[in-house]
Amino acid sequence: MAYDPHVSKTEQLQQQVDDVVGIMQQNIDAMKDRGEKLDSLQSKTSDLEQGAIQFRKGASGVRRQMWWKNMKWRLVVGAGVLIILAIIIGSIVQATSK
């Protein structure tokens, strides 16, 4: 604000006060916007955290299912090998006993 000799000191002070009030209103509005953005960010963070918990639970369940599936295959293969060995040993014993 430039100095105008035709304006009284009181009017100049009032103008400065009005300018400061305007700036303070802008600052308050900016703080409200920031607060709303922080609330939004906090909400998104909470949602992301819940999603991560669900993902972790799902991943643990899948890991457990895959472990059991793998274990079942190992048992099937092991049983197959034992049956084949039993057949081979049985035929060898039967051939040597004749």
Side-chain angles (χ1 to χ4, degrees):
M1 178 169 123
Y3 177 73
D4 188 359
H6 301 292
V7 179
S8 71
K9 287 273 191 188
T10 306
E11 290 173 339
Q12 287 178 357
L13 286 175
Q14 184 62 44
Q15 182 61 40
Q16 288 177 348
V17 168
D18 291 342
D19 291 344
V20 169
V21 168
I23 292 170
M24 291 303 293
Q25 286 293 334
Q26 290 174 354
N27 288 343
I28 289 171
D29 290 341
M31 286 178 60
K32 284 182 186 177
D33 290 343
R34 259 186 257 137
E36 291 171 0
K37 287 179 184 176
L38 286 174
D39 289 342
S40 175
L41 185 60
Q42 186 176 12
S43 174
K44 288 178 184 178
T45 302
S46 177
D47 293 344
L48 188 59
E49 183 179 10
Q50 290 299 319
I53 290 170
Q54 290 298 325
F55 178 79
R56 192 175 303 122
K57 286 180 182 178
S60 295
V62 169
R63 184 182 314 122
R64 196 174 307 113
Q65 286 177 342
M66 293 306 293
W67 184 85
W68 276 112
K69 186 175 183 180
N70 191 19
M71 186 56 65
K72 287 176 189 176
W73 275 108
R74 286 181 183 181
L75 290 174
V76 167
V77 169
V81 168
L82 287 177
I83 290 172
I84 291 172
L85 284 175
I87 292 172
I88 292 172
I89 291 173
S91 62
I92 291 174
V93 168
Q94 194 175 28
T96 55
S97 66
K98 286 186 180 179

